[in-house]
Amino acid sequence: MLRALITVALALATGALPAQVKVKPASSKGSDRAVAADYTPSPSFDPEAEQQLLEMANQARARTGAPALQPDPGLTQAARAHADVMAQQQQLSHQFAGEPSLTLRLASASALHLDRAGENVALDLSPEQAHEHLMLSPPHRENLLDASYNVAGFGVIRSGARLFVVQDFGHSVPAYSTEQIEAAILNSVGRSRSAAHLPALERKADSALRDAACSMAQEDRLGTRAMHEVAQRYSVLSYTNLHPDVLPANAARLIGDHRVRNVAVGVCYARTETYPMGVYWVGLAFY
């Protein structure tokens, strides 16, 4: 079962090398850093600073051979919204009380299929200083140079003389049609059968299996009643993955059964509470 990997890092910079901690969203309250109480903000977005930070990030990535980050409007919207909250609270945090987690913020703002995400937050006086301080901090640098990330959204709020910075990163995977996903899964099954020197399986259509896959998505769990009903007729394997053509380890036994002659597949993509950034719910039947 694949769950999105989330990495977050927080920086507080006031012209000197900041103190940094690497945190998870669930423990972010303990990582809040307060800004001076006498500081009065007049927040406004700074698209030019956002673009500068993206360009500097991509220049640094190019030097390490990492691919350039492609800006995504949804991730930018999410980053700006969080930067605005930080400016209002006059604190740095990855999640404030009553605010959704990073995965929920990204999922609600973007239609991308993300299997990995991360976030940097910082407070500084200029884009150049913010980038320098982030690059000097190992956890922030790790996010900025992570070669698995291919999309990003940067949000900057200019509040007085200071910048509240949010950098949201993600790894976007292609979005395919149901038919394409089912074909990819069956190709994986076929390769496994061939590697085991077994004859290819004949594909059978089964609308009940597809309905059962969607029932799992609707109920946000495996082993629904609809899937149990299918399992009374066939040997069934059900799983979730954003890369459904990567078969789970326990598929080998069913795929390698020399008595099996037919295969059916049902797939349903959905965003759920367990998988806010989306996942494919898959049912494979062998008989």
Side-chain angles (χ1 to χ4, degrees):
M1 191 177 293
L2 179 66
R3 295 179 184 270
L5 174 62
I6 305 301
T7 57
V8 292
L10 178 150
L12 174 63
T14 56
L17 187 62
Q20 305 92 6
V21 291
K22 191 169 185 179
V23 299
K24 297 179 181 179
S27 60
S28 63
K29 291 182 180 178
S31 66
D32 294 354
R33 298 291 185 270
V35 181
D38 59 353
Y39 178 50
T40 303
S42 55
S44 61
F45 292 114
D46 193 332
E48 183 177 346
E50 294 169 355
Q51 182 63 30
Q52 284 181 269
L53 284 165
L54 179 61
E55 290 174 357
M56 288 186 287
N58 280 336
Q59 289 167 5
R61 290 171 67 85
R63 289 192 288 270
T64 67
L69 297 167
Q70 300 302 314
D72 175 69
L75 298 188
T76 299
Q77 176 185 334
R80 285 179 171 179
H82 186 58
D84 189 31
V85 175
M86 291 199 307
Q88 292 177 30
Q89 297 289 328
Q90 290 297 287
Q91 289 183 335
L92 295 185
S93 178
H94 292 287
Q95 185 178 7
F96 292 96
E99 185 185 28
S101 65
L102 173 63
T103 52
L104 290 174
R105 286 190 273 119
L106 299 188
S108 64
S110 177
L112 294 177
H113 290 193
L114 301 176
D115 64 356
R116 181 180 172 88
E119 181 174 81
N120 287 343
V121 301
L123 171 67
D124 221 307
L125 301 175
S126 71
E128 294 81 6
Q129 288 181 334
H131 177 73
E132 179 184 0
H133 291 140
L134 289 166
M135 287 293 288
L136 288 171
S137 164
H140 302 91
R141 180 184 177 91
E142 181 181 349
N143 274 341
L144 280 163
L145 301 183
D146 192 324
S148 69
Y149 292 141
N150 56 11
V151 292
F154 290 0
V156 176
I157 288 279
R158 185 173 292 279
S159 190
R162 304 183 186 187
L163 302 179
F164 284 88
V165 177
V166 176
Q167 299 175 323
D168 286 338
F169 308 91
H171 178 248
S172 175
V173 299
Y176 298 110
S177 68
T178 299
E179 290 73 19
Q180 288 174 317
I181 291 296
E182 290 180 350
I185 293 170
L186 293 176
N187 285 339
S188 294
V189 171
R191 287 192 297 270
S192 295
R193 292 281 293 185
S194 178
H197 306 290
L198 293 171
L201 299 177
E202 183 176 350
R203 179 180 182 178
K204 299 292 185 179
D206 193 316
S207 60
L209 184 58
R210 182 175 291 183
D211 291 343
C214 288
S215 78
M216 295 192 298
Q218 291 165 1
E219 298 181 33
D220 196 13
R221 65 185 181 92
L222 300 173
T224 60
R225 180 177 179 179
M227 189 57 74
H228 282 305
E229 290 176 353
V230 174
Q232 291 177 1
R233 296 183 288 130
Y234 311 127
S235 295
V236 174
L237 174 68
S238 58
Y239 63 98
T240 60
N241 206 318
L242 199 53
H243 306 271
D245 55 315
V246 178
L247 302 173
N250 59 349
R253 181 181 61 82
L254 290 175
I255 294 174
D257 190 337
H258 64 88
R259 298 167 297 177
V260 170
R261 294 292 180 267
N262 305 298
V263 62
V265 60
V267 175
C268 197
Y269 174 83
R271 295 184 174 195
T272 67
E273 184 177 351
T274 304
Y275 301 97
M277 292 195 293
V279 76
Y280 294 103
W281 299 78
V282 182
L284 269 173
F286 299 89
Y287 58 101

